[in-house]
Amino acid sequence: MNSRALGWDTIPEGYPTPCGQLFTPGSSFGHTGYTGTTLWADAKKGFAFVSLTNRVYPDDGGIVDTKSGIKWYRNNLSNLIAERVVNSETF
């Protein structure tokens, strides 16, 4: 489940974000595109994640594989980045 605020996707409390488990539900917002392009921000933790991808090159099969495709990539990459940023002493 998600909702919208000023054109951004928002995640209500109690629901996971489409960008990994380390973004704060209720305090994060963003956009996930069909080709995998992603922008997600966490206002509570003070960081954002941007990924520019093109899962439809060289052709668009129309299949979104959740185990190895763009959803898997988006969740794992955003978790990795969020973990590094949140645990970084220099941030």
Side-chain angles (χ1 to χ4, degrees), residues 5-56:
L6 299 173
W8 296 100
D9 290 328
T10 60
I11 307 299
E13 292 287 342
Y15 291 90
T17 71
C19 290
Q21 295 74 41
L22 300 178
F23 287 83
T24 310
S27 295
S28 63
F29 60 93
H31 176 75
T32 56
Y34 177 77
T35 63
T37 300
T38 305
L39 181 145
W40 208 265
D42 190 317
K44 184 175 183 178
K45 295 178 182 171
F47 73 97
F49 161 71
V50 177
S51 175
L52 302 176
T53 60
N54 186 355
R55 75 171 183 90
V56 299

Side-chain angles (χ1 to χ4, degrees), residues 29-84:
F29 60 93
H31 176 75
T32 56
Y34 177 77
T35 63
T37 300
T38 305
L39 181 145
W40 208 265
D42 190 317
K44 184 175 183 178
K45 295 178 182 171
F47 73 97
F49 161 71
V50 177
S51 175
L52 302 176
T53 60
N54 186 355
R55 75 171 183 90
V56 299
Y57 178 81
D59 62 8
D60 179 11
I63 298 171
V64 180
D65 183 358
T66 59
K67 292 186 179 178
S68 63
I70 195 64
K71 287 184 179 180
W72 179 90
Y73 164 82
R74 183 183 288 144
N75 281 333
N76 285 287
L77 181 62
S78 62
N79 277 337
L80 178 69
I81 291 170
E83 184 178 85
R84 297 282 277 225

